[in-house]
């Protein structure tokens, strides 16, 4: 006798339903959304399981890779196709959704979604994170350029990129601005007084004075 299972996955709990070849209910229950808990619950049916179906979703990649490694015949269903069939059910609950998914898996009326390897998703996650960081950097650079235009300071383009041009502006245009010059002198005297005790002035004080001067200018 062939057994078909379906998982209705949520963030905390997963509803599981098992049916036979004729569509009769064999067992159902809820376990924590954890591959070990799901594999343990399905353990006594492992020899008879034909397919274990679940919809695509945020946790599908993790569960599919882990359950497949444990030897379970997991298939991933296109969530849009499965949702269209589940809408026909009168009561929309996790338990009923698991029953409906089990019937879909038994009949084979679904579109299988190919899940890539764990390593492929690791590379994809790194590239996505890099794209996000590059976008944040570009947005910050453009914000600085726009703010400095208010004071007549144009960034332009220089060999060496944004950082070298920023250092040139800090040492040049911003340093000669009257308000910046006064702020710089005021903080220089304050730093000199604070460093005149047991701790002598070091070049490490300069970046702090420059940062304070820039904040006073903007």
């Amino acid at each position: 006798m062939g057994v078909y299972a379906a998982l209705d996955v949520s963030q905390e709990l997963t509803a599981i339903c098992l049916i036979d070849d004729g569509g009769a209910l064999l067992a159902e229950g809820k376990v924590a959304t954890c591959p070990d808990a799901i594999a343990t619950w399905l353990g006594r049916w492992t020899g008879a399981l034909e397919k274990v179906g679940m919809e695509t979703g945020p946790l599908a990649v993790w569960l599919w890779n882990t359950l497949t490694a444990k030897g379970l015949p997991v298939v991933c269903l296109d969530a849009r196709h499965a949702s269209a069939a589940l809408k026909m059910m009168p009561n929309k609950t996790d338990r009923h959704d698991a029953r409906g998914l089990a019937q879909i898996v038994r009949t084979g009326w679904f579109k299988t979604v190919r899940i890539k390897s764990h390593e492929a998703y690791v590379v994809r996650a790194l590239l996505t994170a890099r794209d996000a960081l590059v976008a944040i950097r570009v947005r910050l650079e453009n914000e600085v350029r726009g703010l400095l235009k208010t004071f007549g300071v144009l960034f332009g383009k220089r060999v060496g990129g944004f950082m070298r041009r920023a250092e040139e502006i800090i040492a040049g245009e911003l340093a000669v601005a009257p308000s910046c010059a006064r702020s710089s002198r005021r903080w220089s005297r304050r730093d000199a007084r604070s460093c005149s005790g047991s701790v002598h002035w070091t070049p490490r004080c300069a970046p702090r004075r420059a940062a304070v001067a820039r904040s006073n200018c903007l």
Side-chain angles (χ1 to χ4, degrees), residues 9-204:
V9 181
S10 63
Q11 188 168 346
E12 296 181 359
L13 296 175
T14 296
I16 308 177
C17 179
L18 278 79
I19 60 175
D20 61 13
D21 287 330
L25 179 65
L26 297 177
E28 59 183 1
K30 278 191 176 185
V31 298
T33 302
C34 171
D36 292 334
I38 296 172
T40 301
W41 197 94
L42 295 172
R44 66 192 181 97
W45 304 93
T46 302
L49 278 175
E50 296 287 341
K51 291 179 182 178
V52 179
M54 65 177 179
E55 295 178 276
T56 55
L59 300 177
V61 174
W62 171 52
L63 291 176
W64 188 91
N65 281 290
T66 309
L67 293 175
T68 301
K70 293 179 179 294
L72 294 174
V74 184
V75 292
C76 201
L77 285 63
D78 188 296
R80 294 171 296 179
H81 292 189
S83 178
L86 295 177
K87 284 180 180 179
M88 303 299 294
M89 301 182 65
N91 297 323
K92 197 78 169 61
T93 63
D94 293 343
R95 182 166 62 92
H96 289 165
D97 284 353
R99 286 188 183 183
L101 289 173
Q103 296 292 347
I104 294 173
V105 172
R106 180 182 67 87
T107 58
W109 295 345
F110 62 88
K111 180 180 179 181
T112 304
V113 177
R114 180 177 176 270
I115 302 295
K116 298 177 182 178
S117 65
H118 175 75
E119 292 74 16
Y121 281 99
V122 169
V123 174
R124 180 180 179 181
L126 291 174
L127 293 175
T128 302
R130 181 185 180 277
D131 288 342
L133 291 175
V134 170
I136 292 172
R137 186 196 68 186
V138 171
R139 188 169 67 249
L140 289 175
E141 290 180 358
N142 291 337
E143 186 68 24
V144 171
R145 294 173 188 270
L147 290 173
L148 291 179
K149 285 181 181 179
T150 307
F151 305 97
V153 179
L154 301 180
F155 238 85
K157 294 183 179 180
R158 292 290 187 277
V159 177
F162 182 87
M163 287 299 298
R164 177 168 295 184
R165 178 56 180 150
E167 292 173 356
E168 293 177 358
I169 290 176
I170 292 170
E173 287 101 322
L174 289 183
V176 299
S179 58
C180 291
R182 288 194 299 269
S183 299
S184 179
R185 287 194 298 270
R186 183 169 64 251
W187 283 102
S188 297
R189 290 193 297 268
R190 183 173 298 181
D191 285 342
R193 289 195 300 268
S194 63
C195 296
S196 59
S198 58
V199 180
H200 297 287
W201 181 86
T202 63
R204 286 178 296 179

